[in-house]
Amino acid sequence: QVQLVESGGGLVQPGGSLRLSCTISGSTLDYHAIGWFRQAPGKEREGVSCINSSDDSTYYGDSVKGRFTISRDSAKNTVYLQMKSLKPEDTAVYYCAADPDYYCSEYGPKGTDFTSWGQGTQVTVSS
């Protein structure tokens, strides 16, 4: 069974940076598309970014484009989300998700596209 564990969340000041990690076990990263989602209190879940293991193509939501970078390290079975120039509106619980059949496209990921989820990590951007 595929398991995902996120880490790297925390409290950061506006303009700061954080790097989230998502480590997969029970399977190989190379067989899955990995997506990052976030959900703030009272808001719907938002697809932030996605990466395809087949060709390393990526997707970024408009709200994070130019500030966030997704990457993967197959040797470590880990996907990273580097977040820079953080804003208070980036505050949310961030989740990673994996699916062996989904392919990230220009239309962005939806939660229903993924079968395995991590437990989430809190990111708070505040002065």
Side-chain angles (χ1 to χ4, degrees):
Q1 184 175 354
V2 176
Q3 292 185 329
L4 303 171
V5 178
E6 303 99 334
S7 61
L11 173 64
V12 63
Q13 292 186 342
S17 300
L18 280 175
R19 189 179 76 163
L20 305 184
S21 300
C22 172
T23 300
I24 185 170
S25 61
S27 184
T28 301
L29 181 63
D30 289 346
Y31 295 156
H32 294 79
I34 302 294
W36 281 100
F37 295 81
R38 66 185 182 186
Q39 189 163 21
K43 294 188 177 181
E44 292 188 355
R45 182 172 53 194
E46 175 188 7
V48 173
S49 184
C50 186
I51 186 167
N52 293 307
S53 296
S54 58
D55 57 12
D56 281 340
S57 57
T58 58
Y59 163 87
Y60 296 97
D62 288 340
S63 62
V64 305
K65 201 171 294 183
R67 300 188 297 122
F68 290 12
T69 303
I70 190 170
S71 62
R72 65 188 189 95
D73 185 334
S74 295
K76 296 183 178 180
N77 247 13
T78 298
V79 171
Y80 302 100
L81 186 68
Q82 178 68 52
M83 307 185 295
K84 298 181 179 180
S85 302
L86 284 162
K87 306 174 182 180
E89 50 263 44
D90 294 317
T91 295
V93 178
Y94 284 70
Y95 300 89
C96 66
D99 193 270
D101 298 319
Y102 179 69
Y103 184 83
C104 307
S105 72
E106 61 192 53
Y107 302 105
K110 299 186 297 294
T112 51
D113 294 325
F114 293 84
T115 52
S116 300
W117 290 80
Q119 82 289 349
T121 185
Q122 176 71 46
V123 172
T124 303
V125 184
S126 175
S127 54

